[in-house]
Amino acid sequence: MSQLPDSALPTSLADVKDSLVGQKLRVAGRLLSYDAITSTIIIVDGTIGLLVDVSSCLDSWVRERLGTVMVIGDLQRNEDQAPAPEVSRTSVDTRLVLRAIHVGNCGGIIDLEEWNSGIAALQSATVAEQSRNA
């Protein structure tokens, strides 16, 4: 039996949906807001946002507003349903929360447009592979 942890599924913020609840995801976005009381952040990509519980991995990266971060965590239903901070032009589904196990500051290393293109290519390749094997 392998001792390696489950790998995280690279996912664009636009693809984070209720159907992924229970899966470990790897997402990237710009840090928009941080709530010290609830230890939650909102990351965004364009007009799509995601609520992230960072209580298990808080670090100095929080200081850089709109800096790019990569988050690995488990997507869960948000039982608390605490309202997300008002963020203009950003859609945040507060029914979902990513429970972060790692947050890394990407410091301009990741271009979100390229990240999303790479994920789309990976999804297309997976669908094509499944079609060939069917």
Side-chain angles (χ1 to χ4, degrees):
M1 187 163 130
S2 174
Q3 297 298 317
L4 296 175
D6 294 336
S7 61
L9 177 67
T11 308
S12 69
L13 293 186
D15 291 334
V16 174
K17 308 254 186 289
D18 196 55
S19 61
L20 296 176
V21 167
Q23 292 195 42
K24 186 183 291 182
L25 306 179
R26 178 186 299 257
V27 298
R30 298 201 184 283
L31 176 63
L32 183 63
S33 68
Y34 169 61
D35 183 337
I37 295 171
T38 61
S39 294
T40 56
I41 62 173
I42 293 179
I43 60 172
V44 296
D45 182 10
T47 60
I48 304 297
L50 178 63
L51 185 64
V52 181
D53 174 353
V54 294
S55 59
S56 296
C57 53
L58 195 57
D59 201 355
S60 60
W61 51 263
V62 169
R63 295 185 194 128
E64 190 178 335
R65 186 173 186 273
L66 290 179
T68 304
V69 294
M70 180 165 292
V71 181
I72 298 173
D74 296 303
L75 187 65
Q76 297 178 358
R77 286 187 180 80
N78 188 6
E79 303 299 330
D80 299 332
Q81 286 283 327
E86 281 296 316
V87 183
S88 64
R89 297 178 280 133
T90 302
S91 172
V92 178
D93 185 351
T94 59
R95 297 171 301 156
L96 301 176
V97 61
L98 189 66
R99 304 278 181 214
I101 56 177
H102 174 77
V103 179
N105 181 349
C106 296
I109 296 170
I110 291 182
D111 178 307
L112 290 178
E113 203 170 298
E114 288 181 20
W115 170 259
N116 292 329
S117 294
I119 290 170
L122 179 62
Q123 290 170 338
S124 294
T126 301
V127 168
E129 181 69 23
Q130 290 171 346
S131 295
R132 281 193 295 271
N133 292 336

